[in-house]
Amino acid sequence: MFIHNSTSKLDPYSVKKKRMSEKVRKMFYHAYNNYMMHAFPHDELKPLTKTFTDSLSELGNLKLEHLPQEYNGSSLSLIESLSSLLILGNHTEFERAVLWLSENLTFDVDARINLFECNIRVLGGLVSAHILATDSTNRLNKGTYENQLLVLAEDLGQRFLPAFDTPTGLPYAWINLKYGVIKNEITETSTSGCGSLILEMGALSRLTGDPRFENVALHALRKLWSMRSSLNLLGTTLDVETGEWIEHSSGIGAGVDSFYEYLIKGHILFGREEFWRMFQSAYLAVQKYFRYGPWYHEADMRTGKATFWQLTSLQAFWPGLQVLIGDIAAANSSHREFFHVWNKFGVLPERYLLDHQMLHPTEKYYPLRPELAESTFYLYQATKDPWYLEVGESIVDSLNFYTRVEGGYASIRDVTTMELEDHQHSFFLSETCKYLYLLFDDSFLANQNYIFTTEGHPLPVLSSWHEKLPEAYILSNFTSIKSEEQPKRSSAMSLRICPAAMLNNGHNNEPVESACHIPDTHADHRCVTDEDCGVDSTSCRRRSCSMAGYCGLWLLI
């Protein structure tokens, strides 16, 4: 969530920001123009061969020349680019794209699609672009936009609904856009797949007045949360018909990541206290059972025991999420480790084994993922520390040096050899370029308040969408809170303020160190009972009083 702080006219980094924003602008258009020239209206560009792939749908084992005649792809990369075009100020191209989509795009096709991916990429792209198109500040030509994107979004949302017709209310992972759930459809899905739908479908309900979309997404989220363990942890995969977990090990990466993201962003967007309570419990559990210093390993949801000690590139979104709750110290700590790995290889590998300090033997690729750029953007917004501009410049230089080709930007198959792979994912247009551009030019955010979906599509935070506007989001509460109003023995997360604004009970004006941190009662850490001890800032575990009368994590020794 962003309450934009305008930068000073005397910003000493303004020249650098201008130069870098133009560099990123050129990156976007090199990728976008090549897609439009060689792959449109299909889904994604193959930049090495200058051909296309229809990645969103699964049409059996049909080869490209045998595709149904009515199917020309979903124009995925164009849809993903809509909000980026407006952020870059290209209203003319945006209007051309909207006109083409309204006249040519149809979802009435015999195509089996992944519900989660179609939701975050296509539905999210359409809903976000519709909202931006109807925003008077974007100055679109009068009469050129008549809610065409919303009409398409509503049609797509209605085609999603049969996926939720299960005994549990948890949706199938796959659905046919024309025929619904096919016979003998697989029943396995991921935590992200059924717990990361509320932003797009909730927004669709608010825009159309049809509550069905938000209701089914909300029911699925509540059901998923009810399946958590006694430790407030969830697994990675489950069966939507039986409601039983299939994979009990999980972390903050693939299969689970956006579940945590949508709890806090759902709370910000819709004002539901229920989402906040879920997130608070889940976040503390993650810090307690997954965190090891600046790293996050995976653990068994039933026991909390570590299972896999590995870094995955998708985990790099986590520092950005921590910024949203003001846990800046923890966010910065993890971000620096991710950037260290980026520098080590030139890009961020898909999987890195922490216990062996080596690459995963098979997952050595880098598909142009945006997560590190995303967290860099969030941290710069929160701190204005110019070091994050240096990080962004390094990311831009690496992308141009290693992945730019004549036909666009190619993924990297092996980070040890920098061998390229013939694929330019749509999220390079919707997220990677967008976050890098906003890092250097945040004028789009001026006087605006947005959250970004997991696919980088901006949604405005509107009081009219809130059940009630939480007191925690009154502007003054972001920067200060009167000490006499603080409930004693409360963490910054409980108070919903930035940890840096909460002082350590008046002792030397020392700020608390993380969102879960509760300082010991006495500055010298002396104690008589456990009640005198707080919560550790790193592990989020309760400290206890030793026989010698000092607070510490004695129960872990």
Side-chain angles (χ1 to χ4, degrees):
M1 177 176 175
F2 290 100
I3 293 177
H4 183 263
N5 295 316
S6 59
T7 54
S8 170
K9 294 181 180 180
L10 301 178
D11 183 357
Y13 299 97
S14 59
V15 174
K16 179 188 184 74
K17 288 180 179 179
K18 178 66 174 176
R19 174 175 58 84
M20 290 305 302
S21 65
E22 286 303 311
K23 201 169 185 177
V24 178
R25 180 189 294 269
K26 291 178 180 178
M27 286 175 59
F28 172 83
Y29 281 116
H30 181 67
Y32 177 79
N33 290 337
N34 271 286
Y35 162 72
M36 294 300 292
M37 183 181 301
H38 302 297
F40 176 77
H42 294 271
D43 287 349
E44 293 179 323
L45 170 68
K46 301 177 76 171
L48 299 180
T49 56
K50 298 180 182 178
T51 55
F52 61 85
T53 176
D54 285 316
S55 55
L56 192 65
S57 64
E58 176 185 285
L59 298 170
N61 295 316
L62 293 176
K63 296 182 179 179
L64 290 177
E65 60 268 25
H66 297 149
L67 288 175
Q69 290 184 355
E70 78 274 12
Y71 189 76
N72 289 315
S74 66
S75 308
L76 174 62
S77 290
L78 178 62
I79 294 171
E80 291 259 67
S81 298
L82 290 174
S83 60
S84 296
L85 289 169
L86 282 183
I87 288 173
L88 291 170
N90 195 337
H91 300 102
T92 300
E93 184 66 14
F94 176 85
E95 291 171 359
R96 288 178 55 204
V98 171
L99 180 62
W100 188 93
L101 289 169
S102 63
E103 293 179 350
N104 296 277
L105 182 61
T106 177
F107 297 119
D108 188 28
V109 291
D110 183 7
R112 180 174 177 261
I113 57 93
N114 182 276
L115 177 68
F116 169 72
E117 294 292 347
C118 197
N119 175 70
I120 65 172
R121 298 190 188 206
V122 182
L123 183 62
L126 293 172
V127 167
S128 173
H130 163 73
I131 295 173
L132 295 177
T134 54
D135 185 343
S136 60
T137 61
N138 285 314
R139 301 182 301 279
L140 298 183
N141 291 330
K142 292 183 178 180
T144 61
Y145 184 70
E146 298 177 348
N147 297 334
Q148 299 99 315
L149 299 179
L150 181 59
V151 171
L152 286 168
E154 185 172 15
D155 176 47
L156 181 59
Q158 289 173 349
R159 295 175 189 276
F160 285 175
L161 294 178
F164 295 85
D165 186 14
T166 65
T168 62
L170 298 169
Y172 289 100
W174 296 87
I175 189 168
N176 186 289
L177 289 177
K178 182 184 281 287
Y179 301 112
V181 179
I182 63 176
K183 186 177 180 180
N184 298 322
E185 182 59 87
I186 61 172
T187 60
E188 181 177 347
T189 192
S190 67
T191 297
S192 291
C194 55
S196 309
L197 306 167
I198 193 64
L199 293 187
E200 295 83 1
M201 298 192 74
L204 183 59
S205 282
R206 304 304 168 101
L207 292 168
T208 63
D210 187 340
R212 292 179 298 166
F213 311 116
E214 183 172 0
N215 286 345
V216 293
L218 180 58
H219 179 79
L221 182 58
R222 286 170 173 166
K223 173 61 180 178
L224 186 65
W225 182 243
S226 74
M227 294 166 57
R228 70 193 185 280
S229 72
S230 60
L231 305 179
N232 285 328
L233 297 176
L234 293 90
T236 303
T237 60
L238 56 124
D239 188 297
V240 301
E241 292 187 349
T242 66
E244 298 294 327
W245 289 105
I246 297 173
E247 175 55 64
H248 293 90
S249 177
S250 73
I252 59 170
V256 189
D257 49 357
S258 54
F259 165 75
Y260 297 109
E261 181 182 3
Y262 275 36
L263 287 180
I264 183 61
K265 291 182 177 179
H267 172 60
I268 294 171
L269 189 63
F270 301 122
R272 283 185 176 269
E273 292 296 297
E274 174 186 12
F275 293 162
W276 170 257
R277 291 192 297 270
M278 290 179 184
F279 176 78
Q280 182 178 16
S281 298
Y283 182 80
L284 294 179
V286 165
Q287 297 300 94
K288 184 174 183 179
Y289 295 107
F290 296 163
R291 186 180 178 187
Y292 186 81
W295 301 107
Y296 291 84
H297 57 74
E298 296 179 21
D300 190 302
M301 63 174 287
R302 299 163 296 187
T303 64
K305 299 289 186 181
T307 52
F308 301 104
W309 291 78
Q310 57 189 1
L311 170 152
T312 64
S313 61
L314 289 172
Q315 293 176 353
F317 90 99
W318 190 254
L321 176 145
Q322 291 180 306
V323 169
L324 294 181
I325 60 168
D327 210 346
I328 307 300
N332 175 66
S333 176
S334 293
H335 176 272
R336 288 178 181 268
E337 296 299 330
F338 281 111
F339 185 55
H340 172 74
V341 176
W342 177 285
N343 278 333
K344 182 176 181 177
F345 294 101
V347 293
L348 195 61
E350 188 71 2
R351 199 174 297 270
Y352 184 77
L353 305 179
L354 295 173
D355 47 351
H356 298 292
Q357 290 293 297
M358 61 176 286
L359 285 171
H360 189 278
T362 59
E363 298 185 43
K364 298 185 288 186
Y365 52 88
Y366 170 67
L368 306 175
R369 290 205 188 278
E371 284 75 17
L372 183 61
E374 175 186 1
S375 287
T376 304
F377 159 67
Y378 276 89
L379 277 162
Y380 181 69
Q381 282 289 318
T383 67
K384 299 303 179 184
D385 185 337
W387 182 78
Y388 296 109
L389 298 177
E390 302 297 326
V391 173
E393 183 174 18
S394 178
I395 294 173
V396 169
D397 290 345
S398 290
L399 290 170
N400 281 316
F401 185 77
Y402 293 115
T403 73
R404 182 184 170 108
V405 296
E406 183 182 358
Y409 284 84
S411 301
I412 295 175
R413 188 186 303 275
D414 186 335
V415 301
T416 63
T417 64
M418 291 300 176
E419 175 189 1
L420 295 178
E421 183 176 357
D422 197 13
H423 200 166
Q424 179 181 286
H425 290 271
S426 65
F427 53 67
F428 184 74
L429 296 164
S430 70
E431 295 185 84
T432 309
C433 290
K434 180 181 294 168
Y435 286 124
L436 288 171
Y437 183 81
L438 289 173
L439 172 65
F440 299 111
D441 183 350
D442 58 5
S443 56
F444 171 78
L445 301 172
N447 303 314
Q448 301 289 328
N449 196 2
Y450 293 100
I451 58 99
F452 290 87
T453 71
T454 196
E455 196 70 9
H457 299 303
L459 296 174
V461 180
L462 306 170
S463 60
S464 60
W465 281 16
H466 279 235
E467 294 182 341
K468 61 177 181 178
L469 189 62
E471 184 180 348
Y473 294 117
I474 297 174
L475 180 59
S476 61
N477 284 355
F478 272 107
T479 55
S480 65
I481 185 168
K482 296 179 180 179
S483 59
E484 62 267 22
E485 295 178 355
Q486 292 184 25
K488 293 186 179 298
R489 318 299 298 155
S490 295
S491 68
M493 176 170 277
S494 297
L495 296 175
R496 283 184 282 189
I497 60 169
C498 177
M502 180 179 175
L503 301 182
N504 185 356
N505 293 338
H507 293 302
N508 303 318
N509 287 336
E510 296 177 1
V512 297
E513 299 174 13
S514 73
C516 62
H517 183 204
I518 298 179
D520 297 332
T521 300
H522 304 291
D524 60 3
H525 309 293
R526 294 300 299 267
C527 58
V528 176
T529 69
D530 288 348
E531 293 299 315
D532 294 326
C533 303
V535 173
D536 183 70
S537 63
T538 300
S539 66
C540 292
R541 295 180 184 272
R542 171 68 65 177
R543 291 157 63 84
S544 60
C545 189
S546 70
M547 293 180 65
Y550 286 92
C551 292
L553 296 176
W554 309 117
L555 297 180
L556 301 179
I557 298 177

